[in-house]
PDB file of all heavy atoms in Angstrom:
ATOM      1  N   GLU A   1     101.073  96.208  94.899  1.00  0.00           N
ATOM      2  CA  GLU A   1     100.809  94.860  95.370  1.00  0.00           C
ATOM      3  C   GLU A   1      99.338  94.601  95.604  1.00  0.00           C
ATOM      4  O   GLU A   1      98.973  93.497  96.041  1.00  0.00           O
ATOM      5  CB  GLU A   1     101.598  94.585  96.652  1.00  0.00           C
ATOM      6  CG  GLU A   1     103.103  94.661  96.468  1.00  0.00           C
ATOM      7  CD  GLU A   1     103.646  93.582  95.545  1.00  0.00           C
ATOM      8  OE1 GLU A   1     103.032  92.473  95.480  1.00  0.00           O
ATOM      9  OE2 GLU A   1     104.656  93.822  94.886  1.00  0.00           O
ATOM     10  N   ASN A   2      98.478  95.591  95.346  1.00  0.00           N
ATOM     11  CA  ASN A   2      97.046  95.463  95.586  1.00  0.00           C
ATOM     12  C   ASN A   2      96.755  95.005  97.023  1.00  0.00           C
ATOM     13  O   ASN A   2      95.906  94.135  97.242  1.00  0.00           O
ATOM     14  CB  ASN A   2      96.398  94.490  94.589  1.00  0.00           C
ATOM     15  CG  ASN A   2      96.293  95.078  93.197  1.00  0.00           C
ATOM     16  OD1 ASN A   2      96.166  96.287  93.024  1.00  0.00           O
ATOM     17  ND2 ASN A   2      96.320  94.210  92.185  1.00  0.00           N
ATOM     18  N   THR A   3      97.460  95.590  97.954  1.00  0.00           N
ATOM     19  CA  THR A   3      97.365  95.192  99.338  1.00  0.00           C
ATOM     20  C   THR A   3      97.076  96.394 100.225  1.00  0.00           C
ATOM     21  O   THR A   3      97.668  97.461 100.049  1.00  0.00           O
ATOM     22  CB  THR A   3      98.662  94.514  99.804  1.00  0.00           C
ATOM     23  OG1 THR A   3      98.887  93.349  99.007  1.00  0.00           O
ATOM     24  CG2 THR A   3      98.572  94.112 101.271  1.00  0.00           C
ATOM     25  N   VAL A   4      96.184  96.197 101.170  1.00  0.00           N
ATOM     26  CA  VAL A   4      95.839  97.197 102.189  1.00  0.00           C
ATOM     27  C   VAL A   4      96.203  96.649 103.548  1.00  0.00           C
ATOM     28  O   VAL A   4      96.012  95.454 103.810  1.00  0.00           O
ATOM     29  CB  VAL A   4      94.347  97.589 102.109  1.00  0.00           C
ATOM     30  CG1 VAL A   4      93.966  98.510 103.247  1.00  0.00           C
ATOM     31  CG2 VAL A   4      94.036  98.236 100.763  1.00  0.00           C
ATOM     32  N   TYR A   5      96.706  97.513 104.399  1.00  0.00           N
ATOM     33  CA  TYR A   5      97.156  97.114 105.736  1.00  0.00           C
ATOM     34  C   TYR A   5      96.374  97.856 106.803  1.00  0.00           C
ATOM     35  O   TYR A   5      95.891  98.964 106.612  1.00  0.00           O
ATOM     36  CB  TYR A   5      98.646  97.434 105.929  1.00  0.00           C
ATOM     37  CG  TYR A   5      99.542  96.791 104.904  1.00  0.00           C
ATOM     38  CD1 TYR A   5      99.953  97.498 103.775  1.00  0.00           C
ATOM     39  CD2 TYR A   5      99.975  95.476 105.043  1.00  0.00           C
ATOM     40  CE1 TYR A   5     100.758  96.924 102.845  1.00  0.00           C
ATOM     41  CE2 TYR A   5     100.786  94.897 104.109  1.00  0.00           C
ATOM     42  CZ  TYR A   5     101.178  95.621 103.007  1.00  0.00           C
ATOM     43  OH  TYR A   5     102.006  95.039 102.072  1.00  0.00           O
ATOM     44  N   LEU A   6      96.259  97.225 107.951  1.00  0.00           N
ATOM     45  CA  LEU A   6      95.720  97.868 109.128  1.00  0.00           C
ATOM     46  C   LEU A   6      96.700  97.622 110.277  1.00  0.00           C
ATOM     47  O   LEU A   6      96.782  96.515 110.798  1.00  0.00           O
ATOM     48  CB  LEU A   6      94.326  97.352 109.503  1.00  0.00           C
ATOM     49  CG  LEU A   6      93.656  98.047 110.676  1.00  0.00           C
ATOM     50  CD1 LEU A   6      93.286  99.502 110.280  1.00  0.00           C
ATOM     51  CD2 LEU A   6      92.412  97.315 111.134  1.00  0.00           C
ATOM     52  N   GLN A   7      97.481  98.640 110.621  1.00  0.00           N
ATOM     53  CA  GLN A   7      98.386  98.562 111.741  1.00  0.00           C
ATOM     54  C   GLN A   7      97.625  98.920 112.995  1.00  0.00           C
ATOM     55  O   GLN A   7      97.090 100.016 113.104  1.00  0.00           O
ATOM     56  CB  GLN A   7      99.565  99.523 111.549  1.00  0.00           C
ATOM     57  CG  GLN A   7     100.565  99.535 112.695  1.00  0.00           C
ATOM     58  CD  GLN A   7     101.310  98.239 112.820  1.00  0.00           C
ATOM     59  OE1 GLN A   7     101.790  97.703 111.827  1.00  0.00           O
ATOM     60  NE2 GLN A   7     101.417  97.726 114.041  1.00  0.00           N
ATOM     61  N   MET A   8      97.581  97.994 113.956  1.00  0.00           N
ATOM     62  CA  MET A   8      96.811  98.167 115.171  1.00  0.00           C
ATOM     63  C   MET A   8      97.764  98.225 116.346  1.00  0.00           C
ATOM     64  O   MET A   8      98.430  97.239 116.676  1.00  0.00           O
ATOM     65  CB  MET A   8      95.807  97.010 115.348  1.00  0.00           C
ATOM     66  CG  MET A   8      94.877  96.832 114.148  1.00  0.00           C
ATOM     67  SD  MET A   8      93.603  95.570 114.433  1.00  0.00           S
ATOM     68  CE  MET A   8      94.642  94.112 114.544  1.00  0.00           C
ATOM     69  N   ASN A   9      97.838  99.371 116.982  1.00  0.00           N
ATOM     70  CA  ASN A   9      98.685  99.587 118.138  1.00  0.00           C
ATOM     71  C   ASN A   9      97.853  99.850 119.376  1.00  0.00           C
ATOM     72  O   ASN A   9      96.672 100.178 119.287  1.00  0.00           O
ATOM     73  CB  ASN A   9      99.638 100.775 117.906  1.00  0.00           C
ATOM     74  CG  ASN A   9     100.601 100.525 116.764  1.00  0.00           C
ATOM     75  OD1 ASN A   9     101.039  99.402 116.530  1.00  0.00           O
ATOM     76  ND2 ASN A   9     100.951 101.606 116.067  1.00  0.00           N
ATOM     77  N   THR A  10      98.494  99.727 120.531  1.00  0.00           N
ATOM     78  CA  THR A  10      97.819  99.964 121.808  1.00  0.00           C
ATOM     79  C   THR A  10      96.491  99.225 121.861  1.00  0.00           C
ATOM     80  O   THR A  10      95.438  99.789 122.190  1.00  0.00           O
ATOM     81  CB  THR A  10      97.618 101.461 122.058  1.00  0.00           C
ATOM     82  OG1 THR A  10      98.784 102.190 121.630  1.00  0.00           O
ATOM     83  CG2 THR A  10      97.405 101.752 123.551  1.00  0.00           C
ATOM     84  N   LEU A  11      96.556  97.940 121.553  1.00  0.00           N
ATOM     85  CA  LEU A  11      95.337  97.130 121.481  1.00  0.00           C
ATOM     86  C   LEU A  11      94.660  97.039 122.845  1.00  0.00           C
ATOM     87  O   LEU A  11      95.302  97.007 123.882  1.00  0.00           O
ATOM     88  CB  LEU A  11      95.668  95.730 120.963  1.00  0.00           C
ATOM     89  CG  LEU A  11      95.920  95.647 119.464  1.00  0.00           C
ATOM     90  CD1 LEU A  11      96.622  94.337 119.110  1.00  0.00           C
ATOM     91  CD2 LEU A  11      94.610  95.764 118.699  1.00  0.00           C
ATOM     92  N   LYS A  12      93.337  96.993 122.778  1.00  0.00           N
ATOM     93  CA  LYS A  12      92.497  96.869 123.960  1.00  0.00           C
ATOM     94  C   LYS A  12      91.636  95.603 123.853  1.00  0.00           C
ATOM     95  O   LYS A  12      91.370  95.144 122.739  1.00  0.00           O
ATOM     96  CB  LYS A  12      91.571  98.072 124.093  1.00  0.00           C
ATOM     97  CG  LYS A  12      92.285  99.413 124.164  1.00  0.00           C
ATOM     98  CD  LYS A  12      91.290 100.557 124.194  1.00  0.00           C
ATOM     99  CE  LYS A  12      91.988 101.887 124.274  1.00  0.00           C
ATOM    100  NZ  LYS A  12      91.004 103.017 124.292  1.00  0.00           N
ATOM    101  N   PRO A  13      91.219  95.027 124.973  1.00  0.00           N
ATOM    102  CA  PRO A  13      90.345  93.851 124.903  1.00  0.00           C
ATOM    103  C   PRO A  13      89.111  94.080 124.033  1.00  0.00           C
ATOM    104  O   PRO A  13      88.644  93.143 123.376  1.00  0.00           O
ATOM    105  CB  PRO A  13      89.987  93.579 126.372  1.00  0.00           C
ATOM    106  CG  PRO A  13      91.160  94.103 127.125  1.00  0.00           C
ATOM    107  CD  PRO A  13      91.600  95.322 126.378  1.00  0.00           C
ATOM    108  N   GLU A  14      88.578  95.270 124.032  1.00  0.00           N
ATOM    109  CA  GLU A  14      87.383  95.566 123.246  1.00  0.00           C
ATOM    110  C   GLU A  14      87.664  95.603 121.741  1.00  0.00           C
ATOM    111  O   GLU A  14      86.725  95.727 120.948  1.00  0.00           O
ATOM    112  CB  GLU A  14      86.721  96.885 123.687  1.00  0.00           C
ATOM    113  CG  GLU A  14      87.683  98.041 123.773  1.00  0.00           C
ATOM    114  CD  GLU A  14      88.178  98.294 125.195  1.00  0.00           C
ATOM    115  OE1 GLU A  14      88.555  97.315 125.876  1.00  0.00           O
ATOM    116  OE2 GLU A  14      88.184  99.469 125.631  1.00  0.00           O
ATOM    117  N   ASP A  15      88.933  95.509 121.342  1.00  0.00           N
ATOM    118  CA  ASP A  15      89.258  95.370 119.924  1.00  0.00           C
ATOM    119  C   ASP A  15      89.059  93.930 119.428  1.00  0.00           C
ATOM    120  O   ASP A  15      89.171  93.681 118.219  1.00  0.00           O
ATOM    121  CB  ASP A  15      90.706  95.797 119.667  1.00  0.00           C
ATOM    122  CG  ASP A  15      90.925  97.270 119.893  1.00  0.00           C
ATOM    123  OD1 ASP A  15      90.046  98.079 119.560  1.00  0.00           O
ATOM    124  OD2 ASP A  15      91.994  97.621 120.430  1.00  0.00           O
ATOM    125  N   THR A  16      88.823  92.989 120.336  1.00  0.00           N
ATOM    126  CA  THR A  16      88.623  91.612 119.958  1.00  0.00           C
ATOM    127  C   THR A  16      87.422  91.486 119.022  1.00  0.00           C
ATOM    128  O   THR A  16      86.323  91.899 119.356  1.00  0.00           O
ATOM    129  CB  THR A  16      88.426  90.730 121.194  1.00  0.00           C
ATOM    130  OG1 THR A  16      89.618  90.737 121.981  1.00  0.00           O
ATOM    131  CG2 THR A  16      88.097  89.308 120.803  1.00  0.00           C
ATOM    132  N   ALA A  17      87.641  90.912 117.851  1.00  0.00           N
ATOM    133  CA  ALA A  17      86.583  90.785 116.847  1.00  0.00           C
ATOM    134  C   ALA A  17      87.134  90.038 115.641  1.00  0.00           C
ATOM    135  O   ALA A  17      88.347  89.841 115.530  1.00  0.00           O
ATOM    136  CB  ALA A  17      86.078  92.173 116.429  1.00  0.00           C
ATOM    137  N   VAL A  18      86.256  89.684 114.740  1.00  0.00           N
ATOM    138  CA  VAL A  18      86.653  89.262 113.415  1.00  0.00           C
ATOM    139  C   VAL A  18      86.752  90.515 112.561  1.00  0.00           C
ATOM    140  O   VAL A  18      85.807  91.305 112.492  1.00  0.00           O
ATOM    141  CB  VAL A  18      85.662  88.256 112.805  1.00  0.00           C
ATOM    142  CG1 VAL A  18      86.045  87.925 111.368  1.00  0.00           C
ATOM    143  CG2 VAL A  18      85.592  86.992 113.645  1.00  0.00           C
ATOM    144  N   TYR A  19      87.879  90.696 111.916  1.00  0.00           N
ATOM    145  CA  TYR A  19      88.127  91.870 111.088  1.00  0.00           C
ATOM    146  C   TYR A  19      87.973  91.495 109.626  1.00  0.00           C
ATOM    147  O   TYR A  19      88.520  90.510 109.150  1.00  0.00           O
ATOM    148  CB  TYR A  19      89.530  92.422 111.336  1.00  0.00           C
ATOM    149  CG  TYR A  19      89.615  93.189 112.649  1.00  0.00           C
ATOM    150  CD1 TYR A  19      89.573  92.515 113.865  1.00  0.00           C
ATOM    151  CD2 TYR A  19      89.733  94.582 112.645  1.00  0.00           C
ATOM    152  CE1 TYR A  19      89.631  93.226 115.051  1.00  0.00           C
ATOM    153  CE2 TYR A  19      89.792  95.274 113.833  1.00  0.00           C
ATOM    154  CZ  TYR A  19      89.746  94.606 115.023  1.00  0.00           C
ATOM    155  OH  TYR A  19      89.804  95.302 116.214  1.00  0.00           O
ATOM    156  N   TYR A  20      87.208  92.308 108.905  1.00  0.00           N
ATOM    157  CA  TYR A  20      86.922  92.083 107.502  1.00  0.00           C
ATOM    158  C   TYR A  20      87.434  93.248 106.656  1.00  0.00           C
ATOM    159  O   TYR A  20      87.266  94.410 107.043  1.00  0.00           O
ATOM    160  CB  TYR A  20      85.401  91.980 107.252  1.00  0.00           C
ATOM    161  CG  TYR A  20      84.719  90.842 107.986  1.00  0.00           C
ATOM    162  CD1 TYR A  20      84.205  91.052 109.261  1.00  0.00           C
ATOM    163  CD2 TYR A  20      84.573  89.601 107.385  1.00  0.00           C
ATOM    164  CE1 TYR A  20      83.565  90.014 109.925  1.00  0.00           C
ATOM    165  CE2 TYR A  20      83.929  88.581 108.041  1.00  0.00           C
ATOM    166  CZ  TYR A  20      83.423  88.800 109.317  1.00  0.00           C
ATOM    167  OH  TYR A  20      82.776  87.780 109.975  1.00  0.00           O
ATOM    168  N   CYS A  21      88.019  92.953 105.536  1.00  0.00           N
ATOM    169  CA  CYS A  21      88.271  93.992 104.560  1.00  0.00           C
ATOM    170  C   CYS A  21      87.188  93.953 103.492  1.00  0.00           C
ATOM    171  O   CYS A  21      86.593  92.892 103.221  1.00  0.00           O
ATOM    172  CB  CYS A  21      89.655  93.901 103.921  1.00  0.00           C
ATOM    173  SG  CYS A  21      89.970  92.437 102.933  1.00  0.00           S
ATOM    174  N   ALA A  22      86.900  95.101 102.934  1.00  0.00           N
ATOM    175  CA  ALA A  22      85.874  95.216 101.929  1.00  0.00           C
ATOM    176  C   ALA A  22      86.222  96.364 100.995  1.00  0.00           C
ATOM    177  O   ALA A  22      86.928  97.295 101.379  1.00  0.00           O
ATOM    178  CB  ALA A  22      84.501  95.477 102.583  1.00  0.00           C
ATOM    179  N   THR A  23      85.692  96.302  99.781  1.00  0.00           N
ATOM    180  CA  THR A  23      85.944  97.375  98.810  1.00  0.00           C
ATOM    181  C   THR A  23      84.644  97.820  98.192  1.00  0.00           C
ATOM    182  O   THR A  23      83.728  97.012  97.948  1.00  0.00           O
ATOM    183  CB  THR A  23      86.956  96.930  97.738  1.00  0.00           C
ATOM    184  OG1 THR A  23      87.277  98.050  96.902  1.00  0.00           O
ATOM    185  CG2 THR A  23      86.396  95.794  96.880  1.00  0.00           C
ATOM    186  N   GLY A  24      84.547  99.088  97.896  1.00  0.00           N
ATOM    187  CA  GLY A  24      83.353  99.658  97.310  1.00  0.00           C
ATOM    188  C   GLY A  24      83.504 101.158  97.222  1.00  0.00           C
ATOM    189  O   GLY A  24      84.580 101.678  96.965  1.00  0.00           O
ATOM    190  N   ARG A  25      82.418 101.867  97.471  1.00  0.00           N
ATOM    191  CA  ARG A  25      82.425 103.319  97.453  1.00  0.00           C
ATOM    192  C   ARG A  25      83.205 103.876  98.625  1.00  0.00           C
ATOM    193  O   ARG A  25      83.453 103.179  99.603  1.00  0.00           O
ATOM    194  CB  ARG A  25      80.996 103.857  97.454  1.00  0.00           C
ATOM    195  CG  ARG A  25      80.124 103.405  96.282  1.00  0.00           C
ATOM    196  CD  ARG A  25      78.713 103.906  96.422  1.00  0.00           C
ATOM    197  NE  ARG A  25      78.646 105.374  96.397  1.00  0.00           N
ATOM    198  CZ  ARG A  25      77.534 106.064  96.553  1.00  0.00           C
ATOM    199  NH1 ARG A  25      76.393 105.447  96.747  1.00  0.00           N
ATOM    200  NH2 ARG A  25      77.578 107.388  96.531  1.00  0.00           N
ATOM    201  N   TRP A  26      83.558 105.149  98.534  1.00  0.00           N
ATOM    202  CA  TRP A  26      84.160 105.853  99.662  1.00  0.00           C
ATOM    203  C   TRP A  26      83.062 106.040 100.702  1.00  0.00           C
ATOM    204  O   TRP A  26      82.263 106.970 100.625  1.00  0.00           O
ATOM    205  CB  TRP A  26      84.726 107.189  99.175  1.00  0.00           C
ATOM    206  CG  TRP A  26      85.264 108.090 100.261  1.00  0.00           C
ATOM    207  CD1 TRP A  26      84.805 109.334 100.591  1.00  0.00           C
ATOM    208  CD2 TRP A  26      86.352 107.829 101.141  1.00  0.00           C
ATOM    209  NE1 TRP A  26      85.536 109.850 101.599  1.00  0.00           N
ATOM    210  CE2 TRP A  26      86.500 108.973 101.979  1.00  0.00           C
ATOM    211  CE3 TRP A  26      87.242 106.758 101.316  1.00  0.00           C
ATOM    212  CZ2 TRP A  26      87.493 109.050 102.957  1.00  0.00           C
ATOM    213  CZ3 TRP A  26      88.231 106.847 102.289  1.00  0.00           C
ATOM    214  CH2 TRP A  26      88.326 107.976 103.079  1.00  0.00           C
ATOM    215  N   SER A  27      83.022 105.134 101.678  1.00  0.00           N
ATOM    216  CA  SER A  27      81.885 105.065 102.593  1.00  0.00           C
ATOM    217  C   SER A  27      82.270 104.245 103.828  1.00  0.00           C
ATOM    218  O   SER A  27      83.162 103.397 103.771  1.00  0.00           O
ATOM    219  CB  SER A  27      80.697 104.406 101.896  1.00  0.00           C
ATOM    220  OG  SER A  27      79.632 104.182 102.801  1.00  0.00           O
ATOM    221  N   ALA A  28      81.579 104.534 104.924  1.00  0.00           N
ATOM    222  CA  ALA A  28      81.717 103.774 106.157  1.00  0.00           C
ATOM    223  C   ALA A  28      80.542 102.824 106.359  1.00  0.00           C
ATOM    224  O   ALA A  28      80.387 102.263 107.438  1.00  0.00           O
ATOM    225  CB  ALA A  28      81.842 104.705 107.355  1.00  0.00           C
ATOM    226  N   LEU A  29      79.714 102.652 105.349  1.00  0.00           N
ATOM    227  CA  LEU A  29      78.522 101.821 105.440  1.00  0.00           C
ATOM    228  C   LEU A  29      78.725 100.461 104.812  1.00  0.00           C
ATOM    229  O   LEU A  29      79.154 100.375 103.662  1.00  0.00           O
ATOM    230  CB  LEU A  29      77.343 102.521 104.764  1.00  0.00           C
ATOM    231  CG  LEU A  29      76.960 103.905 105.298  1.00  0.00           C
ATOM    232  CD1 LEU A  29      75.870 104.514 104.450  1.00  0.00           C
ATOM    233  CD2 LEU A  29      76.536 103.829 106.749  1.00  0.00           C
ATOM    234  N   PRO A  30      78.448  99.384 105.549  1.00  0.00           N
ATOM    235  CA  PRO A  30      78.599  98.055 104.947  1.00  0.00           C
ATOM    236  C   PRO A  30      77.817  97.874 103.658  1.00  0.00           C
ATOM    237  O   PRO A  30      78.301  97.184 102.748  1.00  0.00           O
ATOM    238  CB  PRO A  30      78.069  97.129 106.054  1.00  0.00           C
ATOM    239  CG  PRO A  30      78.275  97.886 107.309  1.00  0.00           C
ATOM    240  CD  PRO A  30      78.034  99.320 106.961  1.00  0.00           C
ATOM    241  N   GLU A  31      76.634  98.483 103.553  1.00  0.00           N
ATOM    242  CA  GLU A  31      75.826  98.310 102.376  1.00  0.00           C
ATOM    243  C   GLU A  31      76.396  98.957 101.118  1.00  0.00           C
ATOM    244  O   GLU A  31      75.957  98.665 100.019  1.00  0.00           O
ATOM    245  CB  GLU A  31      74.397  98.838 102.618  1.00  0.00           C
ATOM    246  CG  GLU A  31      74.341 100.283 103.105  1.00  0.00           C
ATOM    247  CD  GLU A  31      74.244 100.394 104.617  1.00  0.00           C
ATOM    248  OE1 GLU A  31      74.908  99.588 105.319  1.00  0.00           O
ATOM    249  OE2 GLU A  31      73.485 101.249 105.082  1.00  0.00           O
ATOM    250  N   ASP A  32      77.421  99.825 101.274  1.00  0.00           N
ATOM    251  CA  ASP A  32      78.047 100.432 100.131  1.00  0.00           C
ATOM    252  C   ASP A  32      79.253  99.627  99.632  1.00  0.00           C
ATOM    253  O   ASP A  32      79.896 100.021  98.655  1.00  0.00           O
ATOM    254  CB  ASP A  32      78.520 101.836 100.470  1.00  0.00           C
ATOM    255  CG  ASP A  32      77.377 102.823 100.534  1.00  0.00           C
ATOM    256  OD1 ASP A  32      76.348 102.596  99.878  1.00  0.00           O
ATOM    257  OD2 ASP A  32      77.520 103.853 101.235  1.00  0.00           O
ATOM    258  N   MET A  33      79.551  98.527 100.294  1.00  0.00           N
ATOM    259  CA  MET A  33      80.655  97.672  99.879  1.00  0.00           C
ATOM    260  C   MET A  33      80.210  96.664  98.837  1.00  0.00           C
ATOM    261  O   MET A  33      79.100  96.111  98.957  1.00  0.00           O
ATOM    262  CB  MET A  33      81.269  96.965 101.084  1.00  0.00           C
ATOM    263  CG  MET A  33      81.781  97.908 102.160  1.00  0.00           C
ATOM    264  SD  MET A  33      83.158  98.968 101.639  1.00  0.00           S
ATOM    265  CE  MET A  33      82.300 100.546 101.442  1.00  0.00           C
ATOM    266  N   ASP A  34      81.062  96.403  97.855  1.00  0.00           N
ATOM    267  CA  ASP A  34      80.746  95.467  96.784  1.00  0.00           C
ATOM    268  C   ASP A  34      81.335  94.089  96.994  1.00  0.00           C
ATOM    269  O   ASP A  34      80.747  93.072  96.564  1.00  0.00           O
ATOM    270  CB  ASP A  34      81.228  96.026  95.448  1.00  0.00           C
ATOM    271  CG  ASP A  34      80.564  97.329  95.068  1.00  0.00           C
ATOM    272  OD1 ASP A  34      79.346  97.433  95.244  1.00  0.00           O
ATOM    273  OD2 ASP A  34      81.258  98.234  94.570  1.00  0.00           O
ATOM    274  N   TYR A  35      82.510  93.997  97.611  1.00  0.00           N
ATOM    275  CA  TYR A  35      83.196  92.729  97.816  1.00  0.00           C
ATOM    276  C   TYR A  35      83.734  92.678  99.238  1.00  0.00           C
ATOM    277  O   TYR A  35      84.173  93.696  99.782  1.00  0.00           O
ATOM    278  CB  TYR A  35      84.349  92.555  96.807  1.00  0.00           C
ATOM    279  CG  TYR A  35      83.910  92.596  95.369  1.00  0.00           C
ATOM    280  CD1 TYR A  35      84.020  93.760  94.641  1.00  0.00           C
ATOM    281  CD2 TYR A  35      83.408  91.450  94.748  1.00  0.00           C
ATOM    282  CE1 TYR A  35      83.619  93.797  93.316  1.00  0.00           C
ATOM    283  CE2 TYR A  35      83.018  91.491  93.425  1.00  0.00           C
ATOM    284  CZ  TYR A  35      83.112  92.654  92.715  1.00  0.00           C
ATOM    285  OH  TYR A  35      82.724  92.693  91.402  1.00  0.00           O
ATOM    286  N   TRP A  36      83.728  91.465  99.785  1.00  0.00           N
ATOM    287  CA  TRP A  36      84.181  91.255 101.150  1.00  0.00           C
ATOM    288  C   TRP A  36      85.157  90.079 101.234  1.00  0.00           C
ATOM    289  O   TRP A  36      85.026  89.095 100.513  1.00  0.00           O
ATOM    290  CB  TRP A  36      83.001  90.899 102.055  1.00  0.00           C
ATOM    291  CG  TRP A  36      82.053  92.045 102.303  1.00  0.00           C
ATOM    292  CD1 TRP A  36      81.036  92.428 101.481  1.00  0.00           C
ATOM    293  CD2 TRP A  36      82.039  92.914 103.420  1.00  0.00           C
ATOM    294  NE1 TRP A  36      80.377  93.518 102.007  1.00  0.00           N
ATOM    295  CE2 TRP A  36      80.983  93.826 103.223  1.00  0.00           C
ATOM    296  CE3 TRP A  36      82.807  93.020 104.568  1.00  0.00           C
ATOM    297  CZ2 TRP A  36      80.674  94.827 104.154  1.00  0.00           C
ATOM    298  CZ3 TRP A  36      82.521  94.007 105.481  1.00  0.00           C
ATOM    299  CH2 TRP A  36      81.449  94.900 105.259  1.00  0.00           C
ATOM    300  N   GLY A  37      86.115  90.215 102.138  1.00  0.00           N
ATOM    301  CA  GLY A  37      86.923  89.075 102.516  1.00  0.00           C
ATOM    302  C   GLY A  37      86.198  88.227 103.520  1.00  0.00           C
ATOM    303  O   GLY A  37      85.113  88.567 103.993  1.00  0.00           O
ATOM    304  N   LYS A  38      86.782  87.079 103.846  1.00  0.00           N
ATOM    305  CA  LYS A  38      86.128  86.139 104.776  1.00  0.00           C
ATOM    306  C   LYS A  38      86.433  86.451 106.236  1.00  0.00           C
ATOM    307  O   LYS A  38      85.815  85.858 107.124  1.00  0.00           O
ATOM    308  CB  LYS A  38      86.557  84.718 104.443  1.00  0.00           C
ATOM    309  CG  LYS A  38      86.061  84.238 103.108  1.00  0.00           C
ATOM    310  CD  LYS A  38      86.449  82.807 102.827  1.00  0.00           C
ATOM    311  CE  LYS A  38      85.878  82.329 101.495  1.00  0.00           C
ATOM    312  NZ  LYS A  38      86.254  80.906 101.217  1.00  0.00           N
ATOM    313  N   GLY A  39      87.360  87.342 106.504  1.00  0.00           N
ATOM    314  CA  GLY A  39      87.633  87.774 107.871  1.00  0.00           C
ATOM    315  C   GLY A  39      88.831  87.100 108.493  1.00  0.00           C
ATOM    316  O   GLY A  39      89.215  86.004 108.112  1.00  0.00           O
ATOM    317  N   THR A  40      89.415  87.771 109.467  1.00  0.00           N
ATOM    318  CA  THR A  40      90.505  87.212 110.260  1.00  0.00           C
ATOM    319  C   THR A  40      90.278  87.589 111.716  1.00  0.00           C
ATOM    320  O   THR A  40      89.923  88.734 112.018  1.00  0.00           O
ATOM    321  CB  THR A  40      91.878  87.701 109.727  1.00  0.00           C
ATOM    322  OG1 THR A  40      92.927  87.049 110.436  1.00  0.00           O
ATOM    323  CG2 THR A  40      92.024  89.211 109.866  1.00  0.00           C
TER     324      THR A  40
END
């Protein structure tokens, strides 16, 4: 389905944020990402 999920349990107030998905290299660096969603 070309779909990635993020199951978030035991949420904390500090988890409040805009969450973005991105695709690119196997990396934790934003600069290594090629495409971004608009966020939720």
Side-chain angles (χ1 to χ4, degrees):
E1 298 295 330
N2 287 331
T3 299
V4 174
Y5 303 96
L6 185 68
Q7 179 67 46
M8 305 185 294
N9 297 326
T10 320
L11 284 163
K12 303 176 180 179
E14 51 263 45
D15 294 321
T16 296
V18 176
Y19 284 72
Y20 300 89
C21 65
T23 186
R25 300 176 63 183
W26 174 242
S27 173
L29 302 175
E31 54 264 40
D32 286 334
M33 302 295 105
D34 297 318
Y35 301 97
W36 291 84
K38 294 182 178 180
T40 185

